[in-house]
């Protein structure tokens, strides 16, 4: 079912003529230590397909290892749970035996495990006896393959791995990064307060340069205080990447100090008569932006999209007329 997917890795795909095992092996699982080399890692991951998939009670599996996601229990878990209710668990998780009898420690598949705990029933799992280094590499490999983590999530993962004493080669293999790539992530995360990152979230699509620019402002302004103030007025449903942009604009404006009103950046939440958010209105020195979150107001968003060009043109003509009449 999901075995061929997990047999791949982010470095190379298996040869096209390679045959996957059609039936699970009944042989006992041997202890495996994944080598640091790419070739050894690839060979070891291919062995996964030869291992049987077991049905395990979720309460026998402990959340183990380092967190590689800023958000685990979010709305997407419920979406995943609903999919599993309808179609069943399509991809197994991976666990390793615990020191305690008849218990396991998760290697990867934390979101799937959380979803199945909501749905109920057993979880399909591949059981592998791996040491800490091999477990970490397998976790990072599978996570990169299934859902690419954001820059800041990778940075936090690297920071935790280094603080736990993992070797540079293990960290590089876990995320598929060069030594310079690891260094680029670490340089940025060291300048950012942990609370600031938690407030903003994973911010998918926001890269090293943008996070680096925000980090450089830490010497000029209190990033966490400004982030709290800025995010307090935004809707709870605001995407993490939009939170980043709002915080960055606010911090940049504060760092520049007093300026003329048109140069200061700010974001205002526009609400209807009942107090529900309609959209956001953002202004900075370079642009004016009106944003409607489709999830909150799908019908209004569609209506506005159909009339946006005409409405903007009318506003522009009104401005020209008012300027011409001197009003």
């Amino acid at each position: 079912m999901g075995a061929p997917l997990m047999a791949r890795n982010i470095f190379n795909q298996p040869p096209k003529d390679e045959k996957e095992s059609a039936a699970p092996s009944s042989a006992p699982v041997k202890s495996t230590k994944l080598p640091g080399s790419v070739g050894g890692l690839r060979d070891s991951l291919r062995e996964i397909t030869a291992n049987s998939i077991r049905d395990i009670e979720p309460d026998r599996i402990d959340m183990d290892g380092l967190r590689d996601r800023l958000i685990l229990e979010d709305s997407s878990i419920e979406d995943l749970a609903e999919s599993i209710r309808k179609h069943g668990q399509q991809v197994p998780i991976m666990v390793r035996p615990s020191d305690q009898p008849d218990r396991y420690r998760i290697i990867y598949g934390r979101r799937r495990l959380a979803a199945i705990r909501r749905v109920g029933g057993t979880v399909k799992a591949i059981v592998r006896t791996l040491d800490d280094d091999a477990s970490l590499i397998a976790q990072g490999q599978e996570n990169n393959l299934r859902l690419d983590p954001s820059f800041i999530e990778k940075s936090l993962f690297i920071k935790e791995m280094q603080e736990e004493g993992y070797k540079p080669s293990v960290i590089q293999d876990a995320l598929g990064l060069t030594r310079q790539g690891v260094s680029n992530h670490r340089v940025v995360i060291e300048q950012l307060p942990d609370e600031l990152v938690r407030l903003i979230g994973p911010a998918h699509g926001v890269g090293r340069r943008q996070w680096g620019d925000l980090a450089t402002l830490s010497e000029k302004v209190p990033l966490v205080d400004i982030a709290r103030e800025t995010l307090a007025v935004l809707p709870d449903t605001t995407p993490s990447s939009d939170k980043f942009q709002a915080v960055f604009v606010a911090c940049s404006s504060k760092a520049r100090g007093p300026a003329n009103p048109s140069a200061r950046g700010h974001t205002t939440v526009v609400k209807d008569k009942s107090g529900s958010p309609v959209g956001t209105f953002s202004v900075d020195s370079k642009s004016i932006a009106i944003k409607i979150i489709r999830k909150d107001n799908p019908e209004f968003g569609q209506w506005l999209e159909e009339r946006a060009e005409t409405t903007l043109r009318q506003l522009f003509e009104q401005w020209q007329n008012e300027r011409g009449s001197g009003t």
Side-chain angles (χ1 to χ4, degrees):
M1 188 180 303
L5 175 62
M6 286 180 291
R8 298 179 299 176
N9 61 72
I10 61 174
F11 299 107
N12 292 294
Q13 301 294 334
K16 293 184 178 179
D17 59 351
E18 178 179 324
K19 300 295 184 180
E20 302 287 3
S21 176
S25 171
S26 59
V29 179
K30 297 181 179 180
S31 176
T32 305
K33 178 178 177 65
L34 295 185
S37 68
V38 173
L41 176 63
R42 180 171 61 251
D43 293 341
S44 296
L45 287 178
R46 285 175 182 169
E47 292 177 8
I48 292 172
T49 58
N51 287 276
S52 60
I53 298 175
R54 306 182 190 177
D55 290 321
I56 301 175
E57 293 293 337
D59 58 7
R60 289 165 53 195
I61 302 174
D62 299 318
M63 285 295 190
D64 184 49
L66 303 180
R67 285 283 298 271
D68 51 19
R69 292 286 174 193
L70 275 171
I71 300 175
L72 181 61
E73 294 290 346
D74 60 3
S75 59
S76 67
I77 297 295
E78 186 55 45
D79 293 339
L80 181 57
E82 183 60 29
S83 175
I84 292 175
R85 285 189 190 98
K86 292 180 179 179
H87 309 292
Q89 182 188 351
Q90 299 298 308
V91 181
I93 68 172
M94 180 178 282
V95 298
R96 56 177 172 162
S98 171
D99 295 336
Q100 301 178 23
D102 205 29
R103 295 196 64 81
Y104 301 90
R105 299 157 63 187
I106 194 163
I107 296 176
Y108 61 66
R110 287 162 175 75
R111 294 180 68 256
R112 274 162 278 169
L113 178 60
I116 290 171
R117 281 175 170 163
R118 296 189 183 189
V119 173
T122 58
V123 58
K124 297 183 184 300
I126 298 171
V127 180
R128 296 277 282 168
T129 304
L130 304 178
D131 64 14
D132 290 343
D133 285 0
S135 296
L136 188 71
I137 292 173
Q139 176 185 352
Q141 286 278 314
E142 202 267 355
N143 198 42
N144 274 281
L145 178 64
R146 289 189 55 77
L147 182 61
D148 191 36
S150 67
F151 171 83
I152 202 64
E153 286 180 311
K154 287 183 179 180
S155 300
L156 285 172
F157 196 27
I158 288 170
K159 181 181 178 181
E160 289 194 19
M161 285 188 284
Q162 291 181 331
E163 290 176 350
E164 290 293 323
Y166 285 97
K167 297 178 181 179
S169 60
V170 173
I171 297 174
Q172 291 169 38
D173 282 344
L175 290 175
L177 295 173
T178 63
R179 179 182 298 179
Q180 184 61 49
V182 171
S183 176
N184 290 341
H185 285 72
R186 186 61 195 261
V187 166
V188 173
I189 197 62
E190 286 179 341
Q191 301 178 67
L192 292 168
D194 290 342
E195 185 175 354
L196 175 71
V197 176
R198 288 195 298 270
L199 286 170
I200 293 175
H204 288 280
V206 179
R208 177 174 68 90
R209 177 171 296 180
Q210 293 164 290
W211 278 105
D213 289 343
L214 181 59
T216 59
L217 297 176
S218 62
E219 299 177 359
K220 301 178 180 179
V221 296
L223 298 182
V224 174
D225 292 341
I226 296 174
R228 285 202 199 102
E229 180 181 346
T230 302
L231 298 178
V233 301
L234 296 181
D236 293 338
T237 54
T238 302
S240 179
S241 56
D242 290 349
K243 289 181 180 180
F244 175 90
Q245 296 300 336
V247 170
F248 180 74
V249 168
C251 291
S252 298
S253 176
K254 197 76 171 179
R256 288 194 298 268
N260 62 74
S262 62
R264 285 198 291 267
H266 65 274
T267 298
T268 303
V269 178
V270 181
K271 300 180 180 181
D272 61 18
K273 293 180 179 179
S274 67
S276 299
V278 175
T280 58
F281 179 70
S282 301
V283 179
D284 59 31
S285 60
K286 297 181 179 180
S287 64
I288 298 174
I290 297 174
K291 177 172 290 187
I292 307 297
I293 299 177
R294 291 185 182 273
K295 183 178 179 181
D296 293 341
N297 298 285
E299 294 181 359
F300 175 59
Q302 180 65 33
W303 181 89
L304 183 60
E305 182 180 355
E306 294 172 354
R307 295 163 177 80
E309 292 186 21
T310 301
T311 302
L312 183 59
R313 193 177 297 112
Q314 290 173 346
L315 289 172
F316 183 75
E317 291 173 356
Q318 181 180 343
W319 169 76
Q320 286 184 315
N321 293 335
E322 291 179 359
R323 187 180 62 167
S325 62
T327 58

